[in-house]
Amino acid sequence: EDQVTQSPEALRLQEGESSSLNCSYTVSGLRGLFWYRQDPGKGPEFLFTLYSAGEEKEKERLKATLTKKESFLHITAPKPEDSATYLCAVQAVGDDKIIFGKGTRLHILP
Amino acid sequence: NAGVTQTPKFRVLKTGQSMTLLCAQDMNHEYMYWYRQDPGMGLRLIHYSVGEGTTAKGEVPDGYNVSRLKKQNFLLGLESAAPSQTSVYFCASSYHGTSLAKNIQYFGAGTRLSVL
């Protein structure tokens, strides 16, 4: 069964304190992995898509990486406005759907 | 360009009442999805559609029905609401194609439903 596990469930950091969020996945054949950001009371907003192991994508203070079993979302020198829930999702080859993890709630303290 | 619009934003129902949630997208997307999001459970797929006139079951379809009569609209119905259906409901839409970039899902702002 395809599965996505995110860790930690919640993370509190001081402003400027870099860290990483983990997304472990089990899928029969990976077509792609997605990262989304969700602010309270809003719908998820697309951040990155990764296709193959070794691939990296960057956007401002965020960098997403992918291996054959997991993906990391690295946050460098975060700011309070980076506080949000970060969701990871995977799509299997031949599947119309994507499967979401439960998310990591990130709180950046000023 | 509104993207994905969900109506209503909030609703309170009594057990046994029925209602329909409307999702409209203006991006000419083929695929549309309905999810529910509950604390500690993440996003779970209820039903989805791969084109006008088609629907398919997701992970948690029981107690819900859907219709896709027009390409731009996807309706989610609750025939007899139960307290277990208290949740935040999200609609999403996407293109579909060989390019993975076309499979990015774009979400609405959500409908917060309470069933008493």
Side-chain angles (χ1 to χ4, degrees), chain A:
Chain A
E1 182 181 336
D2 299 341
Q3 205 166 12
V4 179
T5 304
Q6 292 188 246
S7 62
E9 289 185 11
L11 182 62
R12 294 166 68 91
L13 300 172
Q14 291 293 137
E15 184 174 359
E17 181 184 1
S18 302
S19 188
S20 298
L21 312 182
N22 178 263
C23 171
S24 298
Y25 62 90
T26 303
V27 66
S28 51
L30 181 69
R31 177 141 192 259
L33 184 141
F34 304 85
W35 281 99
Y36 285 82
R37 168 189 172 131
Q38 186 175 22
D39 293 301
K42 296 188 177 182
E45 180 182 346
F46 170 75
L47 290 173
F48 303 108
T49 182
L50 300 166
Y51 301 78
S52 57
E55 188 175 5
E56 298 182 353
K57 293 273 181 75
E58 285 190 68
K59 180 180 180 180
E60 296 182 351
R61 294 175 293 281
L62 300 176
K63 183 169 79 172
T65 62
L66 181 65
T67 72
K68 289 186 177 180
K69 293 184 178 181
E70 57 191 356
S71 176
F72 291 93
L73 185 64
H74 306 279
I75 303 176
T76 302
K79 298 181 178 182
E81 54 262 41
D82 295 322
S83 297
T85 296
Y86 290 85
L87 301 171
C88 173
V90 298
Q91 184 176 25
V93 172
D95 200 344
D96 293 323
K97 311 178 297 294
I98 64 175
I99 299 169
F100 281 86
K102 295 181 180 180
T104 294
R105 297 187 310 277
L106 177 65
H107 186 55
I108 308 300
L109 302 167

